[in-house]
Amino acid sequence: MFSEPDRTLNLTSDWLLVGPDSRTCPTDEPAQPANPPVPGSRYRIWFHVDAAYAGSACICPEYRHHLNGIEEADSFNMNCHKWFLTNFDCSALWIKDRNALIQSLSTNPEYLDNKASQGRTVIDYKDWEIPLGRRFRSLKLWMVLRLYGVENLQSYIRNHIKLAQHFEDLVAQDTRFEIVATRTFSLVCFRLLPANKNEEDANKLNRDLLDAVNSSGQIFISHTVYSF
Ligand SMILES: Cc1ncc(COP(=O)(O)O)c(C=O)c1O
């Protein structure tokens, strides 16, 4: 997943983003930031792991290996509003060194001065982000964790993956369709095959299928363009 920087091009980067999921075709590679051991510390760039969708699956021990090497990352996030039963919007961000954020984003105008901040008895999240104000999103995530509990959340994720496996099997058995990317979690990437093997016809055929299914209002399929 990682390659050595091409020093001949003299390109520099301030940060590196990897993800166990990409928005439309999840990779079947684990995030594996440490395999080979890498980047942030060695190249002094910010190393962020975007697990917006797949992060939720890692509540199940059998999927946790997708986070192997995560200790090398400077930051990690998952969107609890994607696959963790939490209402939009709620994203969880872990950061190794909070000072990096604070040094970049803190503001200290007089009117925000108060004893609690001065005495460092509170965490001023205004210094971790651009807005000063923030909604109490952690409350709803806490409610999800307390209401469902770990086992229910695990079985919810496992059930989705089982349903995806079942759907994938049905698609694979149907010769009119093709599975176009390896399924890792609950996302199945498939397409209709054109009778004449013409790729332009294939795109049109699949757009028509997408429109037909989505206009039903019963099922919603998301789409992408995938390079073979
Ligand atoms: C991999 C990945 N990263 C980031 C995002 C952005 O999520 P949001 O803007 O809701 O935080 C998405 C959303 O689809 C995603 O799939």
Side-chain angles (χ1 to χ4, degrees):
M1 183 173 268
F2 298 104
S3 55
E4 288 290 315
D6 186 343
R7 299 192 186 284
T8 57
L9 291 175
N10 202 21
L11 295 176
T12 58
S13 174
D14 293 329
W15 64 294
L16 169 75
L17 171 70
V18 301
D21 56 277
S22 80
R23 194 177 303 231
T24 50
C25 281
T27 168
D28 50 2
E29 293 287 321
Q32 287 191 348
N35 186 18
V38 197
S41 50
R42 199 185 328 154
Y43 300 120
R44 296 196 180 196
I45 57 178
W46 191 271
F47 177 24
H48 178 67
V49 175
D50 181 356
Y53 148 74
S56 302
C58 299
I59 195 174
C60 301
E62 66 272 30
Y63 297 111
R64 214 160 285 159
H65 65 277
H66 288 277
L67 294 179
N68 283 356
I70 194 68
E71 63 281 0
E72 296 285 339
D74 292 302
S75 54
F76 168 89
N77 85 287
M78 60 177 266
N79 290 166
C80 306
H81 58 249
K82 279 208 166 63
W83 200 14
F84 212 66
L85 287 171
T86 311
N87 286 357
F88 189 83
D89 59 347
C90 179
S91 299
L93 172 71
W94 283 262
I95 183 161
K96 194 177 261 172
D97 175 14
R98 67 165 85 162
N99 290 314
L101 285 186
I102 294 169
Q103 278 163 22
S104 317
L105 299 169
S106 66
T107 46
N108 295 300
E110 179 60 32
Y111 62 88
L112 292 178
D113 198 20
N114 64 81
K115 284 196 178 120
S117 296
Q118 273 175 2
R120 296 188 185 274
T121 55
V122 291
I123 293 180
D124 275 323
Y125 285 113
K126 73 170 178 55
D127 293 334
W128 293 41
E129 60 184 13
I130 292 171
L132 296 178
R134 55 192 284 131
R135 296 196 280 134
F136 192 4
R137 295 179 179 89
S138 51
L139 177 62
K140 59 189 175 186
L141 177 57
W142 185 83
M143 293 294 287
V144 166
L145 294 170
R146 300 297 297 173
L147 273 172
Y148 289 93
V150 172
E151 282 178 16
N152 283 328
L153 287 166
Q154 287 172 332
S155 58
Y156 158 79
I157 295 278
R158 286 179 182 132
N159 187 42
H160 278 191
I161 295 176
K162 209 166 85 191
L163 289 171
Q165 278 165 342
H166 180 56
F167 177 70
E168 184 185 38
D169 287 346
L170 293 176
V171 173
Q173 283 161 29
D174 191 322
T175 53
R176 292 169 299 175
F177 291 94
E178 177 187 30
I179 301 285
V180 292
T182 311
R183 185 196 50 75
T184 309
F185 303 108
S186 62
L187 186 62
V188 181
C189 301
F190 69 98
R191 68 169 184 163
L192 262 177
L193 287 166
N196 59 6
K197 302 206 163 135
N198 178 306
E199 281 307 311
E200 274 181 28
D201 288 352
N203 286 341
K204 178 168 183 331
L205 189 66
N206 281 282
R207 283 201 184 97
D208 290 349
L209 173 70
L210 186 76
D211 289 344
V213 171
N214 288 352
S215 63
S216 74
Q218 304 292 311
I219 298 177
F220 182 77
I221 302 180
S222 64
H223 68 288
T224 191
V225 176
Y226 190 65
S227 300
F228 289 92

